[in-house]
Amino acid sequence: MNYLALVYYNEDLIRSMSQQEWDALNRECMACGEGLRESGHMLDGHALQLTDTATTVRLRDGKLTATDGPFAETKEQLAGFYLLTARDLNEAIQLAGKIPPLRLGSVEIRPVRELATEGNLAGKTPLIDHTARSDG
Amino acid sequence: MKAWLDRYYQEESRRILATLIRLLGDFDLAEEALHEAFAAALVQWPRDGIPDNPRAWLVSAGRFRAIDQLRRRGRHHAAMEQLAHQLESEADTPEPPEEIADDRLRLIFTCCHPALSSEAQLALTLREICDLTTEEVARAFLAKPTTIAQRIVRAKAKIRDAGIPYEVPEGKALAERLPVVLHTLYLIFNEGYTAFSGAALVRGALAVEAIRLTRLLWQLLPEPEVAGLLALMLLHHARRDARVDASGELVPLEQQDRQRWHRDDIAQGRALLAEVMTRPGYGAYTLQAAIAAVHSEAPSYAATDWKQIIGLYTVLQGIAPSPVVALNRAVAVAMRDGPAAGLAGLDRIAAEPALADYQPLHAARADLLARLDRVEEAAEAYRRALTLCQLEPERRFLEKRLTELRCRSVAPSGD
């Protein structure tokens, strides 16, 4: 049997971490993945960027719509996943548009991120707007 | 040279920024590169002369400075080094001029991407395309500048992290994406036409910019509503010299010197309208343009074809119902059937809780009440409008009306 293990956490916990703590967690995840791959138990796996980057796609009356954010319909349950490779978000939306259950529910698109030993950026969006000027 | 560069910055910096954003794929890096490129120009141009193509020079200088910047940061990050390398290899091919010409339009489609919330779309477009300050955008949304700054930072991060591209969509996707873009262009024009607050009533440059972008969109995408919006902008822009007097006071449509309307803009707007109204698929912008066109051919306010205007507002109310449309229709009814009929319509709209703070509604009520000689109620409505007014010339106009009303109550006229 193959099993899909889905990982959940409260993103606020991640945002409140220091860069060191966050990098340490990422290194742990890399080590965990390596161990499972070596023992032949891990087929594939990826970390996702935070839900800030999510786009939800729906198909209603033959019309494809994309909206900001993760889907929030509590009466919808996870039914499957596709790992897609696309040039950019526009292509990803068009590809997701081909998934048949889209007309029943929704598909949440999230970019995959690479784990790094340090300097992990996802979720660490700088809080200062370098371009916010008030001089006009 | 400093003065020349300052002016050049005013006129061209947003266009150059749009190109740098596309090339570098990052708003903040592009903004830094833009400023470094202008700083370099300030040193080199007085010495070597202005290059033949200043825009291409600045784009190229900005691009190489961004690559240097990534290199410096890249000492610690393999990914940045890789990005710098990639940008460097791309930088060898010069940019075709038509690519650069379309960069602002591309950036509009990026800023108006449906994967961004509509609040973020507007804030980002006003900030990045129109170069409004964060404070000005905040005033427009009646929000705190920190909230807007955060919204813009998040939107930029999502564009970068989720891979929202810098491109004008094609085919079906273009039609799906168009309404949001048109709405944004409409808001940009409005910002140019009536600044959100402060002293300057007509910020002509923004209105001209919105017209330019809409015209570009019309060439790219001959959809009726694009032409409708362009016609609407042109027909309103035609009144620019007549709607403010020499001392900067607002002149209402009713009192405008119609000799000062720009006939060339009116002719262009009407020609566009004639072209699209025979085709299916036009909508709210085209109908609003048609209303402006009726005004444009009337010899005076009183001699306007109000019957036709009421008819157009009725159709508009059918396809895009809004209290604002209902308000304008009621004003037109007052012109055709007298102030009492108009007031009845306005009072029905005023019952709408969402419109309790809508300044034009109170100003319109005040005007009709004054015409009906209900002086006390008119004064009350003017005062209410004044408390809601954010625009200096509009405030002075309302105050003038209120003063006239007071004079009338003190010394009643003989009629």
Side-chain angles (χ1 to χ4, degrees):
Chain A
M1 289 283 279
N2 289 345
Y3 296 91
L4 185 68
L6 299 164
V7 185
Y8 292 87
Y9 51 50
N10 179 344
E11 290 180 349
D12 290 340
L13 287 177
I14 303 301
R15 286 198 185 88
S16 66
M17 281 181 180
S18 69
Q19 186 71 44
Q20 286 75 16
E21 288 170 316
W22 174 232
D23 285 339
L25 179 62
N26 277 273
R27 283 194 296 273
E28 259 188 85
C29 293
M30 290 166 84
C32 172
E34 265 167 50
L36 289 169
R37 273 179 221 271
E38 271 168 28
S39 66
H41 292 100
M42 183 160 154
L43 306 178
D44 203 355
H46 290 279
L48 299 179
Q49 296 198 28
L50 298 191
T51 48
D52 285 349
T53 62
T55 302
T56 299
V57 182
R58 288 188 178 82
L59 189 72
R60 296 290 183 272
D61 305 320
K63 226 182 123 200
L64 189 68
T65 61
T67 47
D68 177 43
F71 77 88
E73 297 274 344
T74 46
K75 39 185 200 300
E76 291 171 348
Q77 288 83 37
L78 189 67
F81 81 103
Y82 291 75
L83 184 63
L84 302 170
T85 179
R87 188 182 63 242
D88 53 43
L89 184 65
N90 284 359
E91 196 187 15
I93 290 169
Q94 295 307 316
L95 295 172
K98 297 178 194 294
I99 298 171
L102 198 62
R103 59 178 185 265
L104 305 172
S106 56
V107 171
E108 178 185 330
I109 300 174
R110 290 264 289 280
V112 155
R113 70 180 178 88
E114 293 303 320
L115 297 172
T117 50
E118 59 180 3
N120 288 282
L121 288 174
K124 295 288 163 197
T125 300
L127 292 174
I128 308 143
D129 184 2
H130 299 295
T131 64
R133 303 189 308 269
S134 49
D135 56 4
Chain B
M1 178 62 86
K2 175 82 169 66
W4 189 89
L5 255 176
D6 278 344
R7 204 177 61 241
Y8 192 77
Y9 182 88
Q10 288 277 322
E11 285 164 10
E12 293 289 327
S13 66
R14 290 292 113 178
R15 216 171 291 180
I16 296 164
L17 179 68
T19 299
L20 286 169
I21 290 171
R22 171 173 58 84
L23 293 172
L24 302 171
D26 186 291
F27 281 84
D28 295 342
L29 192 60
E31 186 101 17
E32 261 176 63
L34 175 76
H35 290 123
E36 290 201 27
F38 270 95
L42 193 56
V43 175
Q44 285 187 37
W45 294 4
R47 195 184 60 209
D48 306 338
I50 296 167
D52 292 340
N53 186 341
R55 200 197 292 172
W57 189 97
L58 287 159
V59 167
S60 169
R63 189 186 221 181
F64 282 108
R65 269 163 183 82
I67 293 168
D68 286 347
Q69 176 72 22
L70 283 170
R71 279 268 144 75
R72 283 196 296 276
R73 290 188 220 164
R75 283 189 200 126
H76 307 289
H77 290 289
M80 284 200 183
E81 173 57 39
Q82 202 190 332
L83 182 60
H85 185 74
Q86 185 200 331
L87 288 173
E88 198 161 45
S89 62
E90 287 167 1
D92 292 339
T93 17
E95 283 298 304
E98 65 274 15
E99 285 280 305
I100 295 179
D102 290 348
D103 274 330
R104 304 190 77 189
L105 196 60
R106 269 192 204 101
L107 193 55
I108 288 181
F109 273 92
T110 304
C111 292
C112 299
H113 199 282
L116 301 173
S117 70
S118 56
E119 292 91 350
Q121 289 164 5
L122 273 174
L124 201 59
T125 305
L126 289 172
R127 179 70 197 85
E128 298 301 323
I129 316 270
C130 306
D131 201 21
L132 295 199
T133 63
T134 306
E135 285 76 10
E136 284 170 315
V137 180
R139 266 205 297 278
F141 286 109
L142 304 174
K144 287 194 200 120
T146 47
T147 310
I148 295 298
Q150 193 63 256
R151 196 176 284 170
I152 291 171
V153 170
R154 290 226 169 105
K156 285 179 186 171
K158 177 154 186 183
I159 289 170
R160 184 190 63 219
D161 297 339
I164 294 177
Y166 300 94
E167 64 175 23
V168 178
E170 289 176 351
K172 213 170 122 224
L174 183 54
E176 285 166 4
R177 298 268 305 276
L178 191 60
V180 181
V181 172
L182 291 182
H183 185 60
T184 307
L185 291 171
Y186 176 73
L187 291 173
I188 294 170
F189 179 78
N190 271 345
E191 166 64 14
Y193 193 63
T194 323
F196 294 120
S197 67
L201 188 70
V202 179
R203 291 174 57 178
L206 270 186
V208 170
E209 187 58 23
I211 289 171
R212 197 188 70 80
L213 287 169
T214 311
R215 206 188 290 278
L216 189 59
L217 190 63
W218 167 238
Q219 283 161 10
L220 194 79
L221 185 72
E223 289 285 328
E225 272 292 83
V226 182
L229 178 60
L230 182 55
L232 176 63
M233 289 176 177
L234 287 165
L235 289 164
H236 277 277
H237 195 54
R239 301 182 198 154
R240 62 190 172 278
D241 293 338
R243 65 190 296 271
V244 184
D245 68 15
S247 53
E249 298 299 321
L250 184 80
V251 183
L253 181 59
E254 165 169 20
Q255 290 163 16
Q256 285 177 19
D257 173 5
R258 295 175 181 226
Q259 296 299 317
R260 301 186 67 199
W261 287 359
H262 290 250
R263 289 287 143 191
D264 48 339
D265 290 333
I266 291 174
Q268 277 187 53
R270 294 176 64 88
L272 280 164
L273 210 51
E275 192 181 335
V276 293
M277 287 204 78
T278 57
R279 287 162 50 185
Y282 67 77
Y285 293 120
T286 307
L287 284 166
Q288 290 177 73
I291 291 164
V294 176
H295 285 300
S296 78
E297 65 187 346
S300 71
Y301 193 71
T304 303
D305 187 349
W306 292 108
K307 191 163 168 266
Q308 202 187 344
I309 288 190
I310 293 166
L312 287 164
Y313 272 123
T314 307
V315 180
L316 185 58
Q317 186 72 356
I319 62 164
S322 90
V324 180
V325 174
L327 166 66
N328 287 322
R329 191 180 177 281
V331 172
V333 168
M335 285 309 294
R336 189 189 59 179
D337 303 336
L343 190 63
L346 283 187
D347 286 339
R348 270 196 302 278
I349 308 162
E352 187 92 27
L355 282 190
D357 290 340
Y358 187 56
Q359 190 257 115
L361 173 67
H362 298 288
R365 275 196 82 237
D367 183 49
L368 294 183
L369 286 163
R371 281 199 240 167
L372 289 166
D373 282 327
R374 289 159 67 176
V375 178
E376 270 316 304
E377 289 164 273
E380 181 53 39
Y382 273 128
R383 279 192 290 270
R384 181 89 184 95
L386 270 166
T387 60
L388 298 166
C389 189
Q390 289 206 340
L391 208 63
E392 210 42 55
E394 247 168 37
R395 172 186 303 282
R396 285 198 298 274
F397 172 75
L398 291 170
E399 268 163 2
K400 206 171 109 202
R401 284 283 174 105
L402 187 57
T403 314
E404 285 164 6
L405 205 60
R406 283 204 194 101
C407 296
R408 217 162 79 178
S409 63
V410 171
S413 62
D415 60 20

